[in-house]
Amino acid sequence: MSTAFARNVPLAEYTTLGLGGPATLFRTATSTEELVEAVREVDRAGGPLLVLGGGSNLVVADEGFAGTVVYVDSSDLSCADADGDTVRVRADAGVEWDPFVARCVDEGLSGIECLSGIPGRVGSTPIQNVGAYGQDVSQTIVEVTVYDRESGRTRVLPAAECGFAYRDSVFKGRDRYVVCEVVFELTRSKLSRPIRYAELARTLGVRQGDCVPLADAREAVLALRRGKGMVVDPEDPDSRSAGSFFTNPILSAEEFAEFTRRAEALLGPGTAPPAYPDADGRVKTSAAWLIEHAGFPKGYGSGPARISTKHTLALTNRGGATTADLLALAREVRAGVARAFGITLVNEPVMVGVAL
């Protein structure tokens, strides 16, 4: 039986930033059935709906949310052998992500070990196509069970229909689908998938493309993330963030050439901005590099909202900040990068009741 709706629940307590005013109504769903029931009830009554998981990728207005929040706290997990050495793991949307990764590593299931330490819950991972250190969830997700608010029915979407792209999917920025369950296809192996990310390979002391014991990959990723304040820790104010606040820009060849010309004009001849070519001819560059070279170093800021002292991409609540403080800093950074390099950064976190 689902719980009743509570009133005026502060959302700051449910976000990793520790920011956000109250929700008018708030209800917890502890199973897929309760989640669907709660969303249906809100839709029948009308009014705004926010489906909330771990709150690790949200920026909520100081005024709060003038609608109903459905908090996803479901926790079922199940495994089934697939073909050969592959195993399909079904997880409810409310399952905590990092304990899920840890369990898969402990049980010798390879495919998500480099996604260790990411805060949040399983249900958010397909929405953002969560990724880090050379892995993203689109490499292992085979299907997503959703509640389709347009049809009023539960549907199973295969990966091919999820529209996965860099930090994007058919679920992101749309109100139609509520993620209920996710199925991952993992490999029964004591070794990681090939290590693709150069920084991780250096940390592990291996070549890119090598495989390492699963536990080694996980511990190396956790160490790297802790060093950047990207593992939630009540004792570390740098971890009071929404993770990377801006996505890495993806530019056409012409846009990247213009960017390079501007970088050389600003920073001197021979300046070579980071470049990660895509197969389609576009080039991804580093938002962190842009921010730093536009004049915003680690620790930048004089108020309670500042750039992390460990990672340029994280905007943090050092204590006592408001959402307005955080957005003022984000706008300052975005405007500075645009002036310096002609590139407008795009926020990665979901904005609730505010806009950048």
Side-chain angles (χ1 to χ4, degrees):
M1 182 69 65
S2 59
T3 58
F5 289 98
R7 292 185 177 275
N8 299 317
V9 174
L11 294 180
E13 300 174 8
Y14 291 87
T15 68
T16 53
L17 271 166
L19 299 176
T24 303
L25 294 172
F26 187 97
R27 180 173 175 177
T28 299
T30 60
S31 67
T32 293
E33 293 73 22
E34 288 186 2
L35 175 56
V36 171
E37 175 197 342
V39 172
R40 279 180 174 157
E41 187 170 338
V42 173
D43 286 346
R44 283 195 297 265
L49 168 70
L50 173 63
V51 177
L52 175 65
S56 60
N57 199 50
L58 284 183
V59 178
V60 180
D62 292 316
E63 296 76 17
F65 182 68
T68 301
V69 169
V70 175
Y71 177 57
V72 185
D73 202 26
S74 50
S75 58
D76 279 354
L77 276 173
S78 62
C79 296
D81 289 337
D83 295 332
D85 293 326
T86 60
V87 176
R88 290 195 170 184
V89 183
R90 177 180 296 273
D92 277 356
V95 170
E96 291 283 353
W97 176 255
D98 190 56
F100 172 62
V101 175
R103 178 171 174 176
C104 290
V105 167
D106 289 345
E107 295 185 5
L109 300 177
S110 172
I112 55 174
E113 57 281 349
C114 293
L115 302 178
S116 294
I118 295 174
R121 302 192 172 190
V122 165
S124 66
T125 62
I127 297 171
Q128 290 286 122
N129 187 17
V130 165
Y133 296 104
Q135 286 183 347
D136 59 57
V137 293
S138 69
Q139 296 164 350
T140 50
I141 288 177
V142 290
E143 64 183 40
V144 179
T145 299
V146 300
Y147 173 63
D148 184 342
R149 297 173 68 194
E150 287 188 4
S151 68
R153 296 183 179 183
T154 301
R155 296 176 55 191
V156 176
L157 297 183
E161 295 181 22
C162 292
F164 289 127
Y166 172 64
R167 301 297 175 269
D168 201 9
S169 70
V170 297
F171 314 113
K172 187 174 180 180
R174 300 176 67 188
D175 294 330
R176 177 175 178 177
Y177 298 119
V178 176
V179 175
C180 299
E181 300 170 8
V182 185
V183 177
F184 300 86
E185 188 168 272
L186 306 177
T187 303
R188 204 178 289 283
S189 173
K190 296 179 180 180
L191 296 178
S192 69
R193 298 282 174 96
I195 302 298
R196 301 298 183 192
Y197 201 78
E199 182 185 22
L200 180 57
R202 288 193 299 270
T203 299
L204 287 162
V206 300
R207 296 171 299 180
Q208 285 179 261
D210 286 350
C211 300
V212 301
L214 286 175
D216 290 357
R218 174 171 166 77
E219 288 308 312
V221 168
L222 288 173
L224 285 169
R225 291 186 65 87
R226 287 191 190 100
K228 298 173 182 178
M230 292 293 190
V231 175
V232 175
D233 179 354
E235 302 302 316
D236 182 4
D238 278 321
S239 73
R240 198 179 297 120
S241 76
S244 296
F245 197 89
F246 297 104
T247 59
N248 291 320
I250 300 177
L251 309 173
S252 68
E254 295 77 13
E255 289 169 336
F256 188 79
E258 174 60 23
F259 164 43
T260 301
R261 285 192 291 271
R262 293 183 69 146
E264 288 185 328
L266 180 66
L267 302 172
T271 298
Y276 309 97
D278 281 351
D280 61 2
R282 297 188 300 167
V283 181
K284 181 166 68 176
T285 193
S286 166
W289 188 95
L290 288 164
I291 293 167
E292 289 173 3
H293 289 83
F296 303 99
K298 295 181 182 71
Y300 179 87
S302 57
R306 302 184 191 181
I307 293 177
S308 167
T309 64
K310 301 183 181 73
H311 195 308
T312 316
L313 271 183
L315 306 187
T316 66
N317 171 13
R318 309 299 292 185
T322 64
T323 300
D325 294 330
L326 186 86
L327 292 178
L329 176 61
R331 291 169 185 141
E332 182 185 1
V333 170
R334 183 180 64 174
V337 168
R339 282 194 304 270
F341 301 112
I343 294 173
T344 300
L345 295 176
V346 176
N347 55 283
E348 184 168 329
V350 175
M351 300 287 170
V352 178
V354 292
L356 187 55

